[in-house]
Each structure stands twice: as C-alpha cells, then as structure tokens.
Amino acid sequence: MLFNSLKFAAFFPAVTLGYFVLPHRLRAVWLLAASYLFYMCWNPRYALLMLASTAVTWAAGLAMERTAHRKAVLAVSLVLNLGILFIFKYASFVLDNLNAALAVFGKDPVLGGFSVLLPVGISFYIFQAVGYTIDVYRRRLPAERSFLYYALFVSFFPQLVAGPIERSTNMLPQLHEKHRFDYERIKSGLVQMLGGYLEKMVIADRLALLVDAVWQQESPGGAAAWLAVFFFALQLYCDFASYSDIAIGAARVMGFDLMRNFDSPYLAPTLGQFWDRWHISLSKWFQDYLYIPLGGSRKGLARTCVNLLIVFLVSGLWHGAAWTFVLWGAAHGVYSVIARLTAAPRARLRQRLGLPAGLHRVLSTIWVFFFVSLTLVLFRADSLPAAGRMFAGLLRWDTPLDWAALGLDKPDFIVALAAIAVLFVFDLLRAKGGPVRDRFLARPLWVQWPVLLAGLLALAVFGMYGEGYVEQPFIYFQF
C-alpha cells in the first residue's frame, strides 16, 4: 500500500480514528493488526518472515537477561536475522558471481537459477530488530516483556518499509504511553505529511519523467545526460525525504515521535556532513553498531581509514546486491579516506590562499553536490554497462536537447525548476533555524490557511492530477 494511493487515503484516517476511539488496552492490538494489514498488501506470505524475525529477536532479548551466555544468544540472533537477509537479498548475487568465477576455470556452476522475490522493507525492519538485540546486550534498555508491544515496534506501519530505522530506546517507551487526541500535534503531523506529498508528487515524480526518459535512451548524452544526473540527485532526495516526512507526520498524528531522517543534506560543505544529514537513521545505525565496534577513530589513522572503507562498502551492499552499489559505496569510502588524509594540507592551502570562509563553504557545498550526483549514476544504473553509457554520455555534447523525446515539455520543466527553488529555500530556512513546520505553525491562522490551500492546490494541479502523472512507488522500497 503506497502512501500516495487512494487506499492509504482511506486506510490512515480509519486507523487513526480507531486508535483514538479504542480504550488504551486495545490500541496496541489495533495498531499491530493495521501494521500487518499494511505490509500484507504487498505479499501476505512475507508477513510470516517479519513475524519470524520478530519472534527470534524478542526471545533473544529475554534470554540475554536470564543467562550468563549473553554473547552466544546475541550471536545466534544475529546469525538467524542476517541469515534471512542474506538468503533473500544476497544469495543470488553471491551465487551468480561464484558461478561466473567457476566458469572462468571451466568448472560447473554450484547452483543455477536461484532467485527469490525481495520482501519489501526487509533491510529496514531487520536492522531495527537487530539494533534492539544489540541494545539489550549492551544493557541500554531492559528486554521488552510484552510480545505485543515488541511486535508493534518492529512493524509500526508509518516507518515499516522505508524508515526511519527507529531505535528501541526511543520507540518502545512511547508504545506503552497513553496518547490523547491533541489538535496541535495532529495539525503539525498533517502539515508535515502535506509537505512530504508535495515533495513526492510535485517534485520527485515529475523529475522522474525526465530522468527515466534519458536513462531509457540507447546513447544518452549532452545536456540531457547532465540534466538527468542532477535531476536524479534531486529526485532521490525528494522521494526518500518525502517518505520520511509522511511517516514522521503520520506517527505524530497518533502521538508518536519518530527520529529525524534528513537535515538539508545538499547544503553540506563536506561529504562527512552530507552523511550526517542524509538518511540519518541508517548513518547513525552504522556508526553505533559497526563503525564504533570496529574501533572507530580510536586506533590510529590507518585503522580509521580501514573502518571508513568497511562501513561504506557495507552501506553500498545494504542498498542492493549489485556491483553498482558496491562501487557506489567504495567511491564514497575512498573519498572519505582521502579527505581524512588530506585534511591538514588542505587547511594550510586555504589559509595560504586567503579564501573567505563564506566563499569556501559555498564552493565546497557545490563540489559535494557535484560528487554525490555523479556517484548516484552508479546508484541509478541497472548494471555496470548502463552506468558506463551514462558516464560516457556526460563527456559527449553532440546530442541536442529534445523535449518531446524526453517526455517533458518546457512548461513542465519550468514547474520543476520552480519547485526545486522552493525546496532550496526551505532547506536554507531549515538549516538556519530548525524545522520550518514549527515556525509556520506559530504564525496566525490567516497566514497558515492560504499557504495550506496553495499547497493542496499545487498537489492537485501538478501532482496526482497533472498531465502525464503516474503513481510511482518510493525508490527505497527496493531496499
């Protein structure tokens, strides 16, 4: 069930109404049933997979409080859960590459034709469940006694299939609280949801028309190729950030506070700051559960560089079982290592050149956006040859810009640019003063209502009812 569908337009109000009408003791049951119904709209059988992961991690949490062999229990839980993730997401990739290597030496394949349908959101809910078991192992919180509340923690529908990847220390206590109908919270949540829908349906899905048209060409090149590269960077941001905004807003309507997942990432002047602001819940997950356990930056420069490479390679694989994602993660890892190794000489060079701090920040921000956009060619490509064709097209300027062939006329292009400009202004305001939503809601009603009506009108005219609009799934559903 997509957020940007009529099904969800009926589902969410019904679930919210039932949640506030029911007595407190039944609310968790209601939300759990709604969450599983939400997930089963994709493939009912895979709900059993989520239930199995939930049962294993819940039992592991209880067992770690009742035995001296805590590390063994944690290891079993990790093997079972990451094993599920491996089978459904990586087994085919590993076997295909193993068979390709065996073929070079004239050997028979180990196993051919292995393929399974990837369950929606499996990387998100398994990482959330694994994070819980590690938190219990580290004694950051006691094991959850109630299977009902723990199952709801794993499956809570707003953030189930594309995050944010919630922490047990934040979410589990909230599930036990009694949430009352709060007009201000509901209004705040609905405003954030509206912003998410505008990002998704007015910007991301419109940019997708041009991006997809260019990528479908045999030999993309010239201005169209460069537009597709930069527009995909913006499409991906708006697509993913919009899901997070809708999820966070929907949860806030019901009284829950989810963690922030984006913080104006394309205004970051360094790649490190970009990752501190992009998909924050995953970046923090890797920091707390992989980078720091590996030693972080505590064991010398060489070990720090190795740890950075490992984290980015794993991050690339988390996004997908393909060499394109491996190389995408490797590119960010190598860049981060080079930035760490050259930090001191670059600082001396800036001082010698006497660059004003403001100018340096602007130039650095442009460069980071340029680098991220180029590496996203690997992220978007279906294969390494497809990525190679796009990179080659960026070096070729013999292809004229044909709007009709791209499926996007000039008025659509102008609308897209105007929406991007509005997004840029909002990101600037957010970077300088925190959530724009809170400052907007502090304004008088005579200011709020015209803006809200304008947003709804833009959603109707340029979004779902716009010419050529096709309901698009969120990009991160595939992960």
Side-chain angles (χ1 to χ4, degrees):
M1 186 187 302
L2 298 175
F3 280 170
N4 52 328
S5 68
L6 293 176
K7 286 183 179 179
F8 187 78
F11 172 83
F12 178 64
V15 172
T16 303
L17 179 63
Y19 179 74
F20 284 117
V21 169
L22 288 170
H24 176 67
R25 66 181 181 276
L26 296 178
R27 288 181 175 182
V29 177
W30 173 257
L31 281 185
L32 182 62
S35 296
Y36 268 80
L37 175 63
F38 178 83
Y39 190 74
M40 290 167 66
C41 286
W42 279 282
N43 191 321
R45 293 176 295 177
Y46 282 158
L48 296 175
L49 196 65
M50 182 169 64
L51 183 61
S53 174
T54 300
V56 167
T57 49
W58 177 72
L62 293 176
M64 280 188 284
E65 289 196 341
R66 299 173 183 175
T67 179
H69 305 290
R70 296 167 56 82
K71 189 172 290 188
V73 173
L74 175 64
V76 170
S77 177
L78 292 179
V79 167
L80 290 175
N81 277 276
L82 297 180
I84 291 173
L85 188 60
F86 175 83
I87 291 171
F88 282 89
K89 192 168 184 176
Y90 303 105
S92 179
F93 173 69
V94 171
L95 286 172
D96 288 346
N97 282 279
L98 177 59
N99 289 334
L102 290 173
V104 172
F105 297 98
K107 302 294 183 180
D108 294 331
V110 176
L111 178 66
F114 179 85
S115 179
V116 292
L117 180 66
L118 181 67
V120 172
I122 187 172
S123 299
F124 287 90
Y125 71 72
I126 283 187
F127 265 41
Q128 188 158 306
V130 165
Y132 162 80
T133 56
I134 297 175
D135 285 342
V136 172
Y137 173 77
R138 293 175 174 175
R139 293 187 170 90
R140 289 183 174 175
L141 81 165
E144 175 57 54
R145 297 301 193 264
S146 168
F147 183 76
L148 171 64
Y149 283 107
Y150 179 71
L152 179 55
F153 160 72
V154 175
S155 65
F156 187 51
F157 76 86
Q159 44 85 219
L160 172 58
V161 295
I165 302 173
E166 265 303 332
R167 298 300 180 85
S168 52
T169 49
N170 175 51
M171 195 62 190
L172 274 171
Q174 293 187 65
L175 294 176
H176 288 276
E177 296 172 356
K178 184 175 182 179
H179 299 118
R180 300 182 183 279
F181 185 92
D182 186 328
Y183 170 75
E184 293 300 329
R185 282 186 64 94
I186 290 173
K187 184 171 70 170
S188 173
L190 291 175
V191 167
Q192 185 155 1
M193 291 179 73
L194 174 60
Y197 279 116
L198 287 169
E199 282 183 290
K200 169 63 177 172
M201 301 173 73
V202 177
I203 306 179
D205 288 353
R206 279 284 161 186
L207 293 178
L209 297 175
L210 182 142
V211 172
D212 292 345
V214 173
W215 274 93
Q216 289 165 7
Q217 294 179 351
E218 288 291 332
S219 300
W226 282 102
L227 277 177
V229 167
F230 293 127
F231 275 12
F232 177 69
L234 295 167
Q235 176 201 349
L236 181 66
Y237 171 40
C238 292
D239 191 279
F240 193 16
S242 68
Y243 185 95
S244 295
D245 281 338
I246 297 169
I248 294 169
R252 184 179 292 116
V253 167
M254 293 183 287
F256 301 95
D257 291 315
L258 301 183
M259 69 182 298
R260 191 175 184 180
N261 215 19
F262 287 88
D263 184 14
S264 306
Y266 286 148
L267 297 181
T270 68
L271 189 64
Q273 290 187 40
F274 168 83
W275 281 108
D276 287 339
R277 301 178 179 194
W278 176 281
H279 200 177
I280 298 169
S281 62
L282 181 66
S283 297
K284 294 297 184 184
W285 198 99
F286 278 125
Q287 176 182 299
D288 291 348
Y289 301 122
L290 183 59
Y291 180 70
I292 291 176
L294 285 173
S297 56
R298 304 186 307 274
K299 298 187 177 182
L301 182 60
R303 182 64 177 272
T304 298
C305 292
V306 171
N307 293 342
L308 284 171
L309 283 173
I310 291 173
V311 168
F312 278 107
L313 286 172
V314 173
S315 176
L317 278 172
W318 181 91
H319 284 83
W323 284 110
T324 50
F325 288 111
V326 174
L327 291 179
W328 172 72
H332 282 257
V334 170
Y335 184 104
S336 299
V337 168
I338 293 174
R340 182 66 63 100
L341 293 175
T342 61
R346 284 188 294 110
R348 289 195 295 269
L349 179 62
R350 285 197 304 272
Q351 187 175 14
R352 186 173 302 174
L353 293 175
L355 275 179
L359 177 60
H360 175 259
R361 184 179 181 87
V362 170
L363 294 176
S364 298
T365 300
I366 294 172
W367 165 249
V368 169
F369 175 71
F370 181 78
F371 172 80
V372 170
S373 299
L374 282 183
T375 57
L376 284 176
V377 170
L378 292 165
F379 192 101
R380 173 63 175 76
D382 296 329
S383 63
L384 290 177
R389 286 194 297 272
M390 181 58 76
F391 281 126
L394 296 175
L395 302 176
R396 190 176 65 251
W397 287 90
D398 58 349
T399 306
L401 189 61
D402 185 348
W403 294 105
L406 296 178
L408 189 73
D409 57 23
K410 288 186 178 180
D412 283 331
F413 179 69
I414 293 171
V415 169
L417 288 182
I420 291 169
V422 172
L423 177 69
F424 176 70
V425 171
F426 269 75
D427 270 7
L428 279 176
L429 293 173
R430 186 184 297 120
K432 290 184 176 181
V436 178
R437 178 198 68 248
D438 294 343
R439 282 176 282 166
F440 169 71
L441 291 174
R443 299 288 184 180
L445 288 177
W446 64 268
V447 174
Q448 293 181 23
W449 280 109
V451 175
L452 293 176
L453 291 174
L456 290 170
L457 181 63
L459 186 63
V461 174
F462 302 116
M464 64 178 69
Y465 299 115
E467 182 180 352
Y469 178 78
V470 178
E471 182 181 290
Q472 299 271 357
F474 290 85
I475 294 173
Y476 262 70
F477 279 13
Q478 63 184 297
F479 306 135

